Amino acid sequence: MYRMIRTATVGLLALGLAGTATAAELKPEEQIQYRQAGYAFMAWNMGKIKANLDGNYSQPQVQAAAETIRAIANSGMGALYGPGTDQNIGDVKTRVKPSMFTEREEVGRLAMNFINAANELAEVAALGDEAEVKSAFGAVGKSCKACHDQFRAD
Amino acid sequence: MYRMIRTATVGLLALGLAGTATAAELKPEEQIQYRQAGYAFMAWNMGKIKANLDGNYSQPQVQAAAETIRAIANSGMGALYGPGTDQNIGDVKTRVKPSMFTEREEVGRLAMNFINAANELAEVAALGDEAEVKSAFGAVGKSCKACHDQFRAD
């Protein structure tokens, strides 16, 4: 992670902006690291929502977390599963199963379920009803797990 | 360091976007990894916007990328700079300078500049004027660099 961030931000510094980086131009190991970053950051935000549901509920914090999950879910992460990203590359490890690159219909179905669940969570989080958030949060968790169960190695 | 956390998130608190931190429940190394994930995922999305500005402009892709940067910027990442996260922890490396944990006012100022720039970028990206996006994108890049220059080791 550290190395990847260094690489990613070297471009930002050098240009004062960002380096060119369409998925096609990214190395496979960069694609793996970026997608893992997205999942990790969603996990942090899922954890925050869970902590809110289990303890004192802060509507603004839950809303911000849900907005983040929604945005990442809709950011086009499919582009980070390019050729060569189906296996470990040096120190860059991935737990993705090869079947994720062949069972396209099923992957698409699961991805849409996840995106829809994330959109729904963000919508109810903005309204602030804790019971509705709990239900929508559970649906997001299930949509995550459905993909992990099928396409992530233990 | 607790003071630093409060200051780093003061802008977020002012906006009602941070609540009681669950960061206290995260190990320092987890906080470092989550914050690096956030920056890495923003870097990917900055790169996508840059590529769009340099090549064929896809308004939906730029909007999705800008929404992601806005959401992450507003997700309360200040909570991920807790006690013990000012140094490497085993294999988990950080380039943060110790001054980030003491120069509270400056960190808060830079954080607010970044959040404001990210919010502006998302707003103009939704409208679709490429020249305005280019300008707002440059402002975000500058706000990133301003913090890197002061608080990130080479």
mmCIF file with all atom_site columns, all heavy atoms in Angstrom, chain A residues 77-88:
data_model
loop_
_atom_site.group_PDB
_atom_site.id
_atom_site.type_symbol
_atom_site.label_atom_id
_atom_site.label_alt_id
_atom_site.label_comp_id
_atom_site.label_asym_id
_atom_site.label_entity_id
_atom_site.label_seq_id
_atom_site.pdbx_PDB_ins_code
_atom_site.Cartn_x
_atom_site.Cartn_y
_atom_site.Cartn_z
_atom_site.occupancy
_atom_site.B_iso_or_equiv
_atom_site.pdbx_formal_charge
_atom_site.auth_seq_id
_atom_site.auth_comp_id
_atom_site.auth_asym_id
_atom_site.auth_atom_id
_atom_site.pdbx_PDB_model_num
ATOM 1  N N   . MET A 1 77 ? -15.207 0.703   -10.552 1.00 0.00 ? 77 MET A N   1
ATOM 2  C CA  . MET A 1 77 ? -14.090 -0.141  -10.135 1.00 0.00 ? 77 MET A CA  1
ATOM 3  C C   . MET A 1 77 ? -13.882 -1.350  -11.043 1.00 0.00 ? 77 MET A C   1
ATOM 4  O O   . MET A 1 77 ? -12.829 -1.987  -11.005 1.00 0.00 ? 77 MET A O   1
ATOM 5  C CB  . MET A 1 77 ? -14.265 -0.603  -8.681  1.00 0.00 ? 77 MET A CB  1
ATOM 6  C CG  . MET A 1 77 ? -14.087 0.521   -7.677  1.00 0.00 ? 77 MET A CG  1
ATOM 7  S SD  . MET A 1 77 ? -14.282 -0.042  -5.964  1.00 0.00 ? 77 MET A SD  1
ATOM 8  C CE  . MET A 1 77 ? -12.754 -0.997  -5.746  1.00 0.00 ? 77 MET A CE  1
ATOM 9  N N   . GLY A 1 78 ? -14.874 -1.663  -11.858 1.00 0.00 ? 78 GLY A N   1
ATOM 10 C CA  . GLY A 1 78 ? -14.715 -2.772  -12.803 1.00 0.00 ? 78 GLY A CA  1
ATOM 11 C C   . GLY A 1 78 ? -13.498 -2.574  -13.703 1.00 0.00 ? 78 GLY A C   1
ATOM 12 O O   . GLY A 1 78 ? -12.879 -3.539  -14.160 1.00 0.00 ? 78 GLY A O   1
ATOM 13 N N   . ALA A 1 79 ? -13.153 -1.294  -13.922 1.00 0.00 ? 79 ALA A N   1
ATOM 14 C CA  . ALA A 1 79 ? -11.988 -0.982  -14.767 1.00 0.00 ? 79 ALA A CA  1
ATOM 15 C C   . ALA A 1 79 ? -10.675 -1.419  -14.126 1.00 0.00 ? 79 ALA A C   1
ATOM 16 O O   . ALA A 1 79 ? -9.631  -1.431  -14.779 1.00 0.00 ? 79 ALA A O   1
ATOM 17 C CB  . ALA A 1 79 ? -11.949 0.516   -15.051 1.00 0.00 ? 79 ALA A CB  1
ATOM 18 N N   . LEU A 1 80 ? -10.755 -1.770  -12.842 1.00 0.00 ? 80 LEU A N   1
ATOM 19 C CA  . LEU A 1 80 ? -9.538  -2.170  -12.120 1.00 0.00 ? 80 LEU A CA  1
ATOM 20 C C   . LEU A 1 80 ? -9.350  -3.692  -12.113 1.00 0.00 ? 80 LEU A C   1
ATOM 21 O O   . LEU A 1 80 ? -8.529  -4.213  -11.361 1.00 0.00 ? 80 LEU A O   1
ATOM 22 C CB  . LEU A 1 80 ? -9.583  -1.624  -10.689 1.00 0.00 ? 80 LEU A CB  1
ATOM 23 C CG  . LEU A 1 80 ? -9.598  -0.086  -10.600 1.00 0.00 ? 80 LEU A CG  1
ATOM 24 C CD1 . LEU A 1 80 ? -9.824  0.372   -9.171  1.00 0.00 ? 80 LEU A CD1 1
ATOM 25 C CD2 . LEU A 1 80 ? -8.299  0.500   -11.139 1.00 0.00 ? 80 LEU A CD2 1
ATOM 26 N N   . TYR A 1 81 ? -10.144 -4.370  -12.934 1.00 0.00 ? 81 TYR A N   1
ATOM 27 C CA  . TYR A 1 81 ? -10.005 -5.824  -13.066 1.00 0.00 ? 81 TYR A CA  1
ATOM 28 C C   . TYR A 1 81 ? -9.531  -6.156  -14.482 1.00 0.00 ? 81 TYR A C   1
ATOM 29 O O   . TYR A 1 81 ? -10.081 -7.015  -15.150 1.00 0.00 ? 81 TYR A O   1
ATOM 30 C CB  . TYR A 1 81 ? -11.334 -6.511  -12.751 1.00 0.00 ? 81 TYR A CB  1
ATOM 31 C CG  . TYR A 1 81 ? -11.669 -6.494  -11.274 1.00 0.00 ? 81 TYR A CG  1
ATOM 32 C CD1 . TYR A 1 81 ? -12.300 -5.396  -10.694 1.00 0.00 ? 81 TYR A CD1 1
ATOM 33 C CD2 . TYR A 1 81 ? -11.325 -7.558  -10.458 1.00 0.00 ? 81 TYR A CD2 1
ATOM 34 C CE1 . TYR A 1 81 ? -12.587 -5.365  -9.330  1.00 0.00 ? 81 TYR A CE1 1
ATOM 35 C CE2 . TYR A 1 81 ? -11.608 -7.545  -9.105  1.00 0.00 ? 81 TYR A CE2 1
ATOM 36 C CZ  . TYR A 1 81 ? -12.235 -6.441  -8.555  1.00 0.00 ? 81 TYR A CZ  1
ATOM 37 O OH  . TYR A 1 81 ? -12.508 -6.429  -7.206  1.00 0.00 ? 81 TYR A OH  1
ATOM 38 N N   . GLY A 1 82 ? -8.511  -5.467  -14.912 1.00 0.00 ? 82 GLY A N   1
ATOM 39 C CA  . GLY A 1 82 ? -7.992  -5.651  -16.263 1.00 0.00 ? 82 GLY A CA  1
ATOM 40 C C   . GLY A 1 82 ? -7.143  -6.907  -16.403 1.00 0.00 ? 82 GLY A C   1
ATOM 41 O O   . GLY A 1 82 ? -6.912  -7.643  -15.433 1.00 0.00 ? 82 GLY A O   1
ATOM 42 N N   . PRO A 1 83 ? -6.670  -7.147  -17.628 1.00 0.00 ? 83 PRO A N   1
ATOM 43 C CA  . PRO A 1 83 ? -5.823  -8.316  -17.905 1.00 0.00 ? 83 PRO A CA  1
ATOM 44 C C   . PRO A 1 83 ? -4.597  -8.343  -16.982 1.00 0.00 ? 83 PRO A C   1
ATOM 45 O O   . PRO A 1 83 ? -3.968  -7.291  -16.760 1.00 0.00 ? 83 PRO A O   1
ATOM 46 C CB  . PRO A 1 83 ? -5.393  -8.099  -19.360 1.00 0.00 ? 83 PRO A CB  1
ATOM 47 C CG  . PRO A 1 83 ? -6.461  -7.238  -19.942 1.00 0.00 ? 83 PRO A CG  1
ATOM 48 C CD  . PRO A 1 83 ? -6.915  -6.345  -18.825 1.00 0.00 ? 83 PRO A CD  1
ATOM 49 N N   . GLY A 1 84 ? -4.299  -9.505  -16.462 1.00 0.00 ? 84 GLY A N   1
ATOM 50 C CA  . GLY A 1 84 ? -3.116  -9.647  -15.613 1.00 0.00 ? 84 GLY A CA  1
ATOM 51 C C   . GLY A 1 84 ? -3.378  -9.381  -14.135 1.00 0.00 ? 84 GLY A C   1
ATOM 52 O O   . GLY A 1 84 ? -2.486  -9.559  -13.309 1.00 0.00 ? 84 GLY A O   1
ATOM 53 N N   . THR A 1 85 ? -4.601  -8.968  -13.814 1.00 0.00 ? 85 THR A N   1
ATOM 54 C CA  . THR A 1 85 ? -4.898  -8.658  -12.406 1.00 0.00 ? 85 THR A CA  1
ATOM 55 C C   . THR A 1 85 ? -5.551  -9.839  -11.697 1.00 0.00 ? 85 THR A C   1
ATOM 56 O O   . THR A 1 85 ? -6.100  -9.693  -10.612 1.00 0.00 ? 85 THR A O   1
ATOM 57 C CB  . THR A 1 85 ? -5.820  -7.431  -12.284 1.00 0.00 ? 85 THR A CB  1
ATOM 58 O OG1 . THR A 1 85 ? -7.121  -7.756  -12.797 1.00 0.00 ? 85 THR A OG1 1
ATOM 59 C CG2 . THR A 1 85 ? -5.251  -6.244  -13.038 1.00 0.00 ? 85 THR A CG2 1
ATOM 60 N N   . ASP A 1 86 ? -5.501  -11.011 -12.331 1.00 0.00 ? 86 ASP A N   1
ATOM 61 C CA  . ASP A 1 86 ? -6.139  -12.200 -11.774 1.00 0.00 ? 86 ASP A CA  1
ATOM 62 C C   . ASP A 1 86 ? -5.196  -13.021 -10.901 1.00 0.00 ? 86 ASP A C   1
ATOM 63 O O   . ASP A 1 86 ? -5.525  -14.112 -10.464 1.00 0.00 ? 86 ASP A O   1
ATOM 64 C CB  . ASP A 1 86 ? -6.688  -13.073 -12.906 1.00 0.00 ? 86 ASP A CB  1
ATOM 65 C CG  . ASP A 1 86 ? -5.596  -13.461 -13.901 1.00 0.00 ? 86 ASP A CG  1
ATOM 66 O OD1 . ASP A 1 86 ? -4.569  -12.745 -13.957 1.00 0.00 ? 86 ASP A OD1 1
ATOM 67 O OD2 . ASP A 1 86 ? -5.760  -14.462 -14.603 1.00 0.00 ? 86 ASP A OD2 1
ATOM 68 N N   . GLN A 1 87 ? -4.004  -12.489 -10.647 1.00 0.00 ? 87 GLN A N   1
ATOM 69 C CA  . GLN A 1 87 ? -3.030  -13.261 -9.868  1.00 0.00 ? 87 GLN A CA  1
ATOM 70 C C   . GLN A 1 87 ? -2.095  -12.313 -9.124  1.00 0.00 ? 87 GLN A C   1
ATOM 71 O O   . GLN A 1 87 ? -2.042  -11.111 -9.425  1.00 0.00 ? 87 GLN A O   1
ATOM 72 C CB  . GLN A 1 87 ? -2.214  -14.148 -10.801 1.00 0.00 ? 87 GLN A CB  1
ATOM 73 C CG  . GLN A 1 87 ? -1.541  -13.356 -11.923 1.00 0.00 ? 87 GLN A CG  1
ATOM 74 C CD  . GLN A 1 87 ? -0.939  -14.253 -12.999 1.00 0.00 ? 87 GLN A CD  1
ATOM 75 O OE1 . GLN A 1 87 ? -0.797  -15.450 -12.795 1.00 0.00 ? 87 GLN A OE1 1
ATOM 76 N NE2 . GLN A 1 87 ? -0.585  -13.671 -14.126 1.00 0.00 ? 87 GLN A NE2 1
ATOM 77 N N   . ASN A 1 88 ? -1.374  -12.862 -8.149  1.00 0.00 ? 88 ASN A N   1
ATOM 78 C CA  . ASN A 1 88 ? -0.375  -12.083 -7.423  1.00 0.00 ? 88 ASN A CA  1
ATOM 79 C C   . ASN A 1 88 ? 0.678   -11.555 -8.395  1.00 0.00 ? 88 ASN A C   1
ATOM 80 O O   . ASN A 1 88 ? 1.054   -12.233 -9.354  1.00 0.00 ? 88 ASN A O   1
ATOM 81 C CB  . ASN A 1 88 ? 0.322   -12.945 -6.374  1.00 0.00 ? 88 ASN A CB  1
ATOM 82 C CG  . ASN A 1 88 ? -0.634  -13.463 -5.323  1.00 0.00 ? 88 ASN A CG  1
ATOM 83 O OD1 . ASN A 1 88 ? -1.711  -12.898 -5.122  1.00 0.00 ? 88 ASN A OD1 1
ATOM 84 N ND2 . ASN A 1 88 ? -0.251  -14.528 -4.645  1.00 0.00 ? 88 ASN A ND2 1
#
